[in-house]
Each structure stands twice: as C-alpha cells, then as structure tokens.
Amino acid sequence: MEDGYEASGEFIDVLSGPPWQVLNDPVRAALRGVDPEHGPVLDVGAGTGLGTQLLADACPTATVLAVEPSPVLRAVLLSRVAADADLRERVTVLAGDALDAPLPERLGAVLAANMIGHLPPQDRREFWHRVAARLAPGAPLVVNLQPPAEPAVVGFTTFGAVRIGRHTYEGGGAAEPAGPDTVTWRMRYRVLDGDGVVLREHTVDYLWHVLSEHDLRAELAEAGLRAEVGPMGVVRAVRVG
Ligand SMILES: C[S@@+](CC[C@H](N)C(=O)[O-])C[C@H]1O[C@@H](n2cnc3c(N)ncnc32)[C@H](O)[C@@H]1O
C-alpha cells in the first residue's frame, strides 16, 4: 500500500509539537470521565504519537491501542512508545486503519485527532458506527473539526517552522476545491540552513474530505452519538442513552 506520508513523515513530528500544545487542554477536557475499567482507549490515525502520549497521560491506568497505517509515521510512533517505560508497558501499536484495525468489543475512549478528513464520507460513517458500537456508556469519542468546512480556496500559509541544530524545518500549504466535499491540500515542506538557503523542498498533495459542524453532528447522531463542540473545534461525543 502506498504511504501518503512517505515524503512528509520526516517533518510531521517536529512540526506537530506546537499545534499539539494548543490542542492539549481542549483534548484533555474532552477526555474527562474516562473509566479504564470500560476497556482500552484507542488513538486512531495516531501519527507519530503526540496524541497517544496525551491520551495515555490523561488515562494513566488505561491500556492504549494506537492504530497507524503509515509505516513512516508508525516508526516514529513506535520509537516514542519504546523510549518511555510507562508507554512501553501500556501502548500497543497496530498497523492498520480506521476500518480494518482489529478492535476489542468495548472501548473506554476513542481519539481521532487531525485525521477525519482522510476518510471519504462513506468510510467516515462506517467509522462512527464501528466506534459507537464499542464505546461504553459515557465513554467519549474525541475528534476535531478542521477548516475549511466547505470546499474553498485557502491561500498558502506557513503552518510552522522549527529550528533544530543549524537547520530549520518548515511546513506550509494551500487548499483548492477538488469536488463537492473535498479539497486538495498542497503541502510544502522545506529544510533551510542558518542563512535561509533552501537545502531541500518536498511538495505533497492530500485529498481531504471537508466536514462542517452541522454535518458532523448529524452523522454522529445517526450513529447514536451526541456531540458537544469545545474550544479549537474539539468535539466530544458520547452514546445517547
Ligand atoms: C495529520 S496526521 C495526524 C496524526 C495524529 N493523529 C496527530 O494529530 O498528531 C493524519 C493521520 O491519519 C492517518 N490516516 C490516514 N488515513 C487513515 C485511515 N484510513 N485510517 C486511520 N488513519 C489514517 C495518517 O497516516 C496520519 O497519521
């Protein structure tokens, strides 16, 4: 299977650190009340494990499943887990995706951060049902809304730049409508030296399925989940009844 993160994988972890600092409090708040007795907590599309680490920290006695399809990102995830004695004990890394990863009958929480746009609408609906069937009563699904909510042009923006040693790792992107509910994000990743000279540059296109708050609420309701939207577009959904 092709790895959509093959070229960008080198950059994702370092550039995701600052955005995760912003997501930290809203995601922790949305994870309130998790009961580890209900079952393992799941991070879907775990990437390099920044969210997995937060999930494990927010649920300090839970066992954790981290599902990640990209071999490059999974290598970073596994390295992060292996480097920490507590994570190493509690986190199992699964090579799979949102629909094919084997899941236990009951889950104590599900985190799906910065990833839902990868799923086409039909897969997304199947994913909500898959999760809703396993979430214990009161156990949260945490997912975030990411702009644009409709197919729209988004001008090029630099998302972040992190200096490591003599080099700066920089990421940015622009989006173009690509269909009734999709945009293409054209991402640009660069390595610059201390004088601002570009040493390397990679361009990667991602098809991204946009989702408005209204449609997300409707889809979750259809799967038997009631959603509450918090800061930074972080959504907490629990089973109705
Ligand atoms: C932008 S990254 C976010 C990673 C991580 N959740 C974070 O917030 O740091 C999107 C992630 O979704 C994963 N992904 C892509 N398609 C997926 C699918 N069908 N099922 C599960 N994860 C998927 C990618 O491999 C990648 O790790």
Side-chain angles (χ1 to χ4, degrees):
M1 203 181 83
E2 197 184 313
D3 184 354
Y5 284 83
E6 188 179 349
S8 59
E10 173 186 357
F11 297 83
I12 298 291
D13 194 60
V14 286
L15 292 173
S16 299
W20 264 107
Q21 283 176 11
V22 178
L23 278 179
N24 182 73
D25 288 353
V27 169
R28 275 183 195 272
L31 286 169
R32 67 186 178 278
V34 173
D35 182 349
E37 296 297 316
H38 282 148
V41 297
L42 169 70
D43 188 8
V44 181
T48 65
L50 290 164
T52 314
Q53 195 158 28
L54 190 158
L55 180 63
D57 192 52
C59 311
T61 58
T63 55
V64 182
L65 300 173
V67 171
E68 175 48 49
S70 155
V72 175
L73 298 187
R74 202 166 60 241
V76 183
L77 166 66
L78 191 62
S79 171
R80 168 166 278 116
V81 169
D84 180 292
D86 176 46
L87 295 182
R88 197 182 172 110
E89 188 60 33
R90 292 195 289 135
V91 180
T92 299
V93 173
L94 300 176
D97 68 26
L99 300 186
D100 71 9
L103 298 179
E105 272 180 29
R106 273 279 173 265
L107 290 167
V110 175
L111 175 62
N114 304 316
M115 61 72 69
I116 206 65
H118 278 302
L119 304 189
Q122 200 171 328
D123 289 1
R124 193 171 65 220
R125 289 194 183 90
E126 193 178 331
F127 174 61
W128 304 140
H129 282 276
R130 200 171 183 229
V131 162
R134 290 172 169 81
L135 278 177
L141 160 67
V142 178
V143 58
N144 58 329
L145 288 159
Q146 290 182 285
E150 310 287 341
V153 173
V154 181
F156 183 87
T157 322
T158 300
F159 297 139
V162 175
R163 192 181 68 77
I164 297 179
R166 284 186 285 113
H167 293 169
T168 297
Y169 294 77
E170 182 198 272
E176 293 273 353
D181 65 358
T182 51
V183 294
T184 299
W185 276 104
R186 172 152 291 189
M187 308 296 291
R188 188 188 75 187
Y189 297 97
R190 305 199 300 182
V191 183
L192 300 96
D193 72 10
D195 299 320
V197 173
V198 177
L199 302 174
R200 282 191 288 131
E201 179 168 320
H202 304 275
T203 302
V204 185
D205 286 353
Y206 295 102
L207 198 63
W208 193 254
H209 301 275
V210 298
L211 182 60
S212 66
E213 179 180 331
H214 174 272
D215 289 352
L216 174 67
R217 283 184 186 276
E219 287 181 13
L220 291 174
E222 204 260 322
L225 296 166
R226 188 183 49 244
E228 144 195 333
V229 181
M232 303 306 301
V234 173
V235 178
R236 170 189 163 93
V238 293
R239 272 173 46 189
V240 179

